[in-house]
């Protein structure tokens, strides 16, 4: 065998090995991206459930909560009042209108039945609501308080995933969309999520 042929065969073998390594690298990164997307989809679904629970808690109790036990007990046994509201408008002699509202309580409905119905959340499990689906053992972080906005005290809430599936999601990131998945804010009146 001449030297040119040996070099050609060696170059062919090296190129095949490099092609296989490149293929495996690309395939592994695609698999990892799909795995992260599936887990983050589950995290977002849980955060939407928690947001619904927090909104209901705030509607009934007048404030959000940062206590998981209070929130879970509320979801398990809390109730909404079903009311009927009738507005009466009376025109006064001098042309102005007077309005009075009549509110009648018709009954109650369980939070679990109205917000977490099987139609909306078919896989709802109260026992796992507080835990991140990334590992199933760490709870979501939850903060609630009142802040001052233009001289008015308002309720705010923030809930975030404490164990991100995507290693590039860090609290130190400047962009809110690159931080761990969350909804709400400590400084603004919002319950929107950073995935929206």
């Amino acid at each position: 065998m001449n030297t040119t042929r040996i070099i050609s065969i060696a170059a062919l073998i090296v190129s095949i090995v490099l092609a296989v390594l490149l293929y495996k690298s690309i395939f592994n990164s695609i698999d990892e991206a799909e795995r992260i997307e599936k887990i983050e989809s589950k995290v977002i679904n849980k955060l939407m459930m928690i947001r619904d629970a927090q909104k209901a808690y705030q509607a009934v109790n007048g404030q959000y909560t940062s206590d998981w036990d209070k929130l879970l007990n509320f979801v398990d046994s809390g109730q909404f009042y079903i009311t009927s509201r009738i507005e009466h408008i009376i025109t006064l002699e001098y042309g102005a209108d007077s309005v009075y509202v009549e509110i009648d309580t018709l009954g109650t409905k369980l939070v679990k039945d109205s917000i977490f119905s099987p139609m909306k959340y078919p896989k709802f499990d109260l026992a796992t609501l507080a835990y991140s689906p990334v590992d199933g053992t760490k709870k979501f972080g939850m903060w609630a308080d009142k802040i001052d906005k233009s001289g008015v005290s308002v309720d705010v809430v923030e809930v975030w995933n404490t164990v991100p599936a995507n290693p590039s999601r860090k609290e130190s990131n400047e962009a809110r969309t690159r931080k761990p998945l969350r909804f709400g804010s400590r400084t603004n009146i919002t319950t929107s999520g950073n995935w929206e």
Side-chain angles (χ1 to χ4, degrees):
M1 255 192 198
N2 63 18
T3 337
T4 310
R5 188 168 214 165
I6 293 174
I7 292 174
S8 296
I9 292 173
L12 179 65
I13 292 172
V14 167
S15 65
I16 290 173
V17 168
L18 288 176
V20 168
L21 291 175
L22 181 63
Y23 174 79
K24 281 186 177 180
S25 171
I26 292 171
F27 189 72
N28 287 343
S29 66
I30 290 171
D31 280 351
E32 180 66 8
E34 287 175 356
R35 183 190 72 80
I36 288 172
E37 187 178 335
K38 283 180 185 176
I39 292 173
E40 285 193 344
S41 174
K42 291 177 184 177
V43 170
I44 289 168
N45 192 43
K46 278 260 183 116
L47 285 170
M48 290 184 344
M49 287 185 215
I50 296 166
R51 178 170 56 187
D52 287 348
Q54 280 283 7
K55 285 180 177 180
Y57 187 91
Q58 198 267 346
V60 171
N61 297 301
Q63 63 186 20
Y64 296 110
T65 183
S66 57
D67 184 347
W68 277 112
D69 291 333
K70 285 182 181 177
L71 187 65
L72 295 175
N73 285 334
F74 173 74
V75 170
D76 187 40
S77 58
Q79 297 180 352
F80 282 120
Y81 288 102
I82 301 169
T83 59
S84 169
R85 177 183 167 140
I86 302 170
E87 292 184 9
H88 299 279
I89 302 172
I90 301 169
T91 305
L92 302 174
E93 293 177 12
Y94 51 89
D97 289 335
S98 173
V99 178
Y100 74 93
V101 179
E102 199 177 303
I103 299 176
D104 188 20
T105 303
L106 304 174
T108 60
K109 188 167 186 178
L110 288 173
V111 171
K112 202 180 341 182
D113 294 340
S114 59
I115 294 179
F116 299 102
S117 69
M119 294 292 288
K120 186 171 183 183
Y121 296 115
K123 296 181 180 180
F124 176 71
D125 180 12
L126 183 62
T128 63
L129 182 63
Y131 296 94
S132 172
V134 174
D135 70 353
T137 62
K138 300 254 189 325
K139 287 185 176 182
F140 286 97
M142 187 163 63
W143 178 89
D145 204 354
K146 291 186 179 290
I147 62 169
D148 183 61
K149 276 294 195 190
S150 303
V152 178
S153 181
V154 293
D155 294 305
V156 290
V157 65
E158 184 176 39
V159 178
W160 65 94
N161 186 17
T162 55
V163 283
N166 186 344
S168 68
R169 288 191 179 276
K170 297 179 181 159
E171 284 296 333
S172 59
N173 290 341
E174 289 292 322
R176 179 172 160 82
T177 56
R178 297 307 311 151
K179 290 183 181 283
L181 291 170
R182 66 185 62 225
F183 74 84
S185 172
R186 294 179 187 226
T187 57
N188 292 318
I189 309 165
T190 182
T191 56
S192 66
N194 65 346
W195 65 89
E196 298 173 308

